[in-house]
Amino acid sequence: MGLRGSGQIYTLPSESCWAQLGIQRSTWSDQDAVDFTVNLSVISTAAWARAVEENPSLGAKPSPNTYSLSRERFQQRIGRAAGGGDYWWRLTADGRDEAATCDDFLTMVEAHGLPVLRREVEARR
């Protein structure tokens, strides 16, 4: 899909923005099941540099899984991007419904997550 990354953070390559997709695990997850959602985040590299200048503890790059009060940063959960409310998936240790969960996750990212990231990058050019 054009994303780069691993683990819980993936980036849509852009010269002008940090356009990220973050997989957030629920604090209620345990050894039997993991609940997770997707956070979308876009901020121009210039706006991030200004924010870091004011607060160096922010680090070299933003995290899509950390909420920010910056007005210049777009942040939204994928369920809202799809026109609904909060949207979570569940993977269970026994593997039931793993294929269906993965298919739904990838469909949501491709149909809703990537278009929103691309739109927000374009708006910041």
Side-chain angles (χ1 to χ4, degrees), residues 9-121:
I9 298 177
Y10 295 83
T11 302
L12 183 66
S14 167
E15 292 181 18
S16 62
C17 293
W18 286 106
Q20 298 172 307
L21 179 150
I23 300 170
Q24 177 185 336
R25 188 176 141 177
S26 169
T27 57
W28 300 106
S29 297
D30 58 25
Q31 64 187 15
D32 297 321
V34 174
D35 296 324
F36 64 99
T37 191
V38 170
N39 298 310
L40 305 170
S41 172
V42 179
I43 188 168
S44 74
T45 53
W48 186 253
R50 287 190 300 275
V52 169
E53 195 172 286
E54 292 174 15
N55 184 359
S57 68
L58 290 174
K61 62 183 179 179
S63 169
N65 295 328
T66 302
Y67 183 72
S68 168
L69 295 176
S70 172
R71 290 185 206 170
E72 296 182 76
R73 185 175 181 187
F74 169 84
Q75 290 183 287
Q76 189 175 70
R77 289 247 173 99
I78 199 163
R80 296 215 23 152
D86 223 1
Y87 196 94
W88 292 77
W89 291 272
R90 172 172 281 212
L91 287 174
T92 56
D94 65 10
R96 69 178 182 266
D97 299 329
E98 182 176 324
T101 300
C102 291
D103 286 345
D104 188 48
F105 168 80
L106 293 172
T107 297
M108 285 285 284
V109 168
E110 187 170 30
H112 302 288
L114 289 175
V116 166
L117 290 177
R118 289 184 181 116
R119 179 193 75 211
E120 292 298 323
V121 166

